[in-house]
Amino acid sequence: ALLIEVAERLQVSVRPTDVVARIASDDFAALLDDIRDESDGTRVAKRWIAALEEPFRVGEREIFLSAKIGIALSDAAHEDAHQYLADASAAMQRARTKGDGDYEVFDRAVHKRSTQRLRLETDLRRAIDQEEFRVVYQPLVDLASERTIGFEALVRWRHDHRGFISPVEFIPVAEETGLIVSIGEWVLRTACQQIAEWRTLPDQQSLTINVNYSARHLRRTGVVDDVLAEITESMLMEDVETQLKVLNDLFEAGIRVAIDDFGTGYSSLSYLRRFKVDTLKIDRSFVGPADEAAAWDLVRMIVALARGMGVTVVAEGVETVGQKLRLREIGCDLAQGYLFAKPLDAAQAEEHLLQGGTHSE
């Protein structure tokens, strides 16, 4: 009885030339003819929603319903009715999961991105098994001596069909799926083996290596025993008490800890004082043009803060001599960026060290 009344309300909300059908237990569909644009479809959706919000009287009962509607507009990509229904169903599911609206228009670009993301996740899992990743090394430069004192280990992915895939594209997917843990452990092992080899070179016994670790790594048991970590500020602000203990244990174990991208996260100085860290890394977005004094106020403040805490400061994204000189004037300790070198593969990095590891122009 309820379904019959729902069908009647839906039918009176469309034109005589339109078709309304019940296609599943409580799923209905309408084929709207001669639609000019998206607004025609959304107007019908709003009429349906308003019609279904009015209470239903079935026997002695009063029943209240809500509806979620997916809209698929015709285009050349649709070859048959099944594709229309599939796209409308996908839009309806999106309306259900979003929670902030009663209808959703199918977006082919969104669908394409969702499909690409699923494919990327599948390829990531295969890439771990087939060892498609490699590590490159970004020199970390002492601004006073202009000599390389360490490296940041960065993961790169060479897809067997697509070639190199940017970390901006695959790291977020790895984070969301938890695959970042396997990738991070592999990078850690590779980087530690490499730094052990480089420390046998002349005058390189104190060379350091930085490895990026995420919140997922810090949640694992036994992390203090197997991690050389560089931690991002925004991650530190999640589950502070647990991660405070992990970071302090790392510090006590003699592992140096750096906060990456400092200034872009939640920036709670009260929390920062509780974390035992060696280094703050200033995000590249704050290292602006050398002649813009106002742009350097935050950098100067971070350097002063770090000096007061006895913490080393690294500036990321240094690309010009002017930026380097400005950082040196402010009192920044270390820097990295394309001015000094792009990320190097292991052979290039070793050759750089053998040549003295200097960057003076």
Side-chain angles (χ1 to χ4, degrees):
L2 177 62
L3 289 171
I4 291 171
E5 192 168 341
V6 167
E8 291 173 350
R9 291 193 190 185
L10 297 180
Q11 202 157 15
V12 298
S13 300
V14 298
R15 301 164 300 182
T17 55
D18 299 327
V19 177
V20 179
R22 174 171 169 250
I23 58 175
S25 60
D26 59 352
D27 287 348
F28 291 82
L31 176 62
L32 308 179
D33 193 22
D34 192 25
I35 294 294
R36 294 183 301 275
D37 54 37
E38 181 180 312
S39 62
D40 287 342
T42 58
R43 274 196 294 272
V44 173
K46 290 175 182 177
R47 287 202 299 268
W48 274 15
I49 290 167
L52 296 174
E53 283 178 345
E54 294 296 322
F56 291 82
R57 177 71 63 177
V58 179
E60 298 299 318
R61 298 181 180 180
E62 190 175 52
I63 301 174
F64 293 86
L65 300 180
S66 62
K68 295 294 184 182
I69 299 174
I71 302 169
L73 302 175
S74 62
D75 60 32
H78 290 106
E79 297 179 354
D80 55 42
H82 293 291
Q83 290 187 350
Y84 281 107
L85 289 171
D87 290 350
S89 178
M92 182 178 67
Q93 292 299 327
R94 181 171 171 79
R96 283 176 172 168
T97 57
K98 283 179 64 177
D100 58 353
D102 295 314
Y103 65 86
E104 189 76 18
V105 179
F106 178 79
D107 186 329
R108 192 161 297 282
V110 171
H111 178 69
K112 183 179 180 181
R113 287 195 296 271
S114 176
T115 302
Q116 289 175 337
R117 185 199 176 284
L118 181 60
R119 184 180 300 116
L120 185 64
E121 179 182 339
T122 301
D123 289 349
L124 263 177
R125 296 181 186 279
R126 190 202 69 249
I128 294 172
D129 294 335
Q130 298 186 1
E131 299 182 351
E132 293 180 359
F133 297 104
R134 68 187 185 97
V135 178
V136 294
Y137 301 90
Q138 177 90 54
L140 188 60
V141 179
D142 182 281
L143 284 172
S145 65
E146 302 218 3
R147 185 171 181 271
T148 295
I149 56 91
F151 293 94
E152 179 177 3
L154 303 169
V155 66
R156 295 292 184 264
W157 178 17
R158 186 181 182 87
H159 192 280
D160 56 355
H161 297 304
R162 295 175 55 190
F164 283 107
I165 298 179
S166 169
V168 175
E169 182 178 353
F170 75 81
I171 290 296
V173 177
E175 289 273 6
E176 292 171 18
T177 59
L179 295 173
I180 194 68
V181 173
S182 297
I183 296 171
E185 290 175 346
W186 175 82
V187 172
L188 179 66
R189 288 194 302 271
T190 303
C192 286
Q193 290 168 0
Q194 187 61 74
I195 199 69
E197 292 181 19
W198 286 340
R199 281 187 167 185
T200 65
L201 298 175
D203 302 319
Q204 300 300 337
Q205 289 72 32
S206 61
L207 198 68
T208 62
I209 194 82
N210 291 345
V211 178
N212 293 284
Y213 256 35
S214 72
R216 285 184 177 270
H217 293 99
L218 291 191
R219 296 190 192 109
R220 294 170 52 247
T221 58
V223 66
V224 178
D225 298 327
D226 61 7
V227 61
L228 174 66
E230 184 171 78
I231 313 300
T232 63
E233 174 191 355
S234 58
M235 180 275 297
L236 288 181
M237 300 308 123
E238 304 171 8
D239 191 13
V240 173
E241 295 303 324
T242 299
Q243 299 190 45
L244 172 65
K245 182 181 185 307
V246 171
L247 289 178
N248 289 344
D249 287 348
L250 288 170
F251 187 90
E252 295 299 331
I255 296 171
R256 297 183 181 182
V257 178
I259 300 179
D260 201 9
D261 302 332
F262 187 77
T264 62
Y266 303 108
S267 300
S268 172
L269 297 183
S270 62
Y271 284 136
L272 182 59
R273 291 183 61 186
R274 299 172 62 195
F275 289 109
K276 294 182 179 180
V277 299
D278 301 273
T279 305
L280 299 182
K281 297 187 70 177
I282 302 174
D283 186 71
R284 65 182 63 246
S285 62
F286 299 114
V287 182
D291 58 350
E292 291 187 9
W296 290 84
D297 287 344
L298 182 59
V299 177
R300 186 177 288 104
M301 183 193 74
I302 293 173
V303 171
L305 169 70
R307 287 201 175 279
M309 299 173 61
V311 172
T312 301
V313 181
V314 180
E316 298 179 299
V318 179
E319 298 182 352
T320 69
V321 173
Q323 290 173 327
K324 179 189 70 174
L325 296 176
R326 196 65 185 267
L327 287 165
R328 186 184 292 166
E329 172 193 328
I330 290 173
C332 185
D333 303 291
L334 308 172
Q336 61 187 85
Y338 282 10
L339 174 65
F340 307 109
K342 294 182 179 181
L344 309 171
D345 62 29
Q348 292 170 329
E350 182 167 330
E351 181 63 25
H352 169 70
L353 292 173
L354 290 171
Q355 292 178 358
T358 57
H359 297 269
S360 57
E361 65 280 345

